[in-house]
Amino acid sequence: MASLSLSLSARRTATAAVAALVAGLTLCTSSIASSAEQRTEHRRPGAARIVGSGDFVLPYLNDNDVRSFSFDAVAAPYSTPRPGLPTGLPVDARGTVRISHHSADQNVTYTFDGQVECLVTGPNTATVTALITKVSHEGTGLLGKRVGLSVHDGGKGGKFDRVGFSWNGVNLLPNGEDAEVGTCMAPAPYAPVVKGGYTVTHAELAPLPRP
């Protein structure tokens, strides 16, 4: 009887130990899965964005003209099907851009409204292309064209912000004509902002959608 009692006791102890081990493994597996989910969530890109308005000067000209860009653009990855690319591109975007140039000599303000189609960012930096859909003066030749603009977000207050753009002599072909602008293509932000400023929210490009 004593030996049977010990045997039953030993079996109960072993069973309890196995149960505790299984519970521990389940908890560990759940913890690992939760950690993996957190890492995946951390890697998921948020929405890249650029907002703001600013006046800028051209470093190679000394005039009294007032030039400004206004942006309200947000990334919309894989939202615009294209020929051969039915899923669209990771740099697809939506929003608006307004370009304004007041000519002091002519006392005329030229404005251009564009529909944003492409946005790509890096830390504190954004490049945008937009299709010009509205112009204040027909003779400018920009209506219906794609333009490229770049922004450097230099911090709060806009004191160190800069912009760049794809016309005015920075995107020429060898024959001197303006070259066509590709999606998200623009020169480096070379012009200092002197009033206002921009906020760039950087996000990594979204992964390709699953088939």
Side-chain angles (χ1 to χ4, degrees):
M1 271 315 237
S3 62
L4 178 58
S5 177
L6 287 173
S7 178
L8 288 172
S9 177
R11 274 185 283 176
R12 286 175 184 153
T13 301
T15 301
V18 170
L21 179 61
V22 170
L25 288 173
T26 301
L27 181 62
C28 181
T29 301
S30 175
S31 177
I32 291 172
S34 176
S35 178
E37 289 176 2
Q38 290 175 0
R39 288 196 300 271
T40 301
E41 185 67 28
H42 179 71
R43 287 197 301 266
R44 286 176 186 156
R49 183 182 294 271
I50 174 174
V51 294
S53 181
D55 297 351
F56 62 92
V57 295
L58 297 179
Y60 49 85
L61 284 181
N62 184 15
D63 59 23
N64 294 316
D65 289 9
V66 180
R67 303 169 175 87
S68 66
F69 295 153
S70 297
F71 294 93
D72 185 3
V74 62
Y78 307 105
S79 61
T80 307
R82 301 167 189 270
L85 294 168
T87 61
L89 296 170
V91 292
D92 288 342
R94 61 177 181 269
T96 57
V97 58
R98 166 160 277 211
I99 301 161
S100 175
H101 179 190
H102 175 75
S103 170
D105 290 342
Q106 301 174 29
N107 194 27
V108 174
T109 299
Y110 300 89
T111 59
F112 312 85
D113 293 339
Q115 191 68 35
V116 171
E117 56 162 3
C118 188
L119 168 65
V120 63
T121 62
N124 307 315
T125 303
T127 300
V128 172
T129 48
L131 297 175
I132 299 300
T133 56
K134 182 179 179 181
V135 299
S136 61
H137 296 72
E138 296 292 338
T140 56
L142 282 181
L143 185 63
K145 289 191 175 182
R146 177 189 287 134
V147 295
L149 307 102
S150 61
V151 170
H152 170 69
D153 177 357
K156 290 183 178 180
K159 183 177 179 181
F160 300 105
D161 290 4
R162 303 175 72 87
V163 297
F165 50 99
S166 62
W167 62 98
N168 210 40
V170 298
N171 187 38
L172 299 179
L173 293 169
N175 62 5
E177 295 181 359
D178 285 335
E180 185 176 352
V181 176
T183 53
C184 277
M185 293 290 101
Y190 56 86
V193 170
V194 293
K195 181 180 179 181
Y198 306 97
T199 300
V200 173
T201 302
H202 169 57
E204 301 296 341
L205 295 180
L208 288 167
R210 293 180 180 179

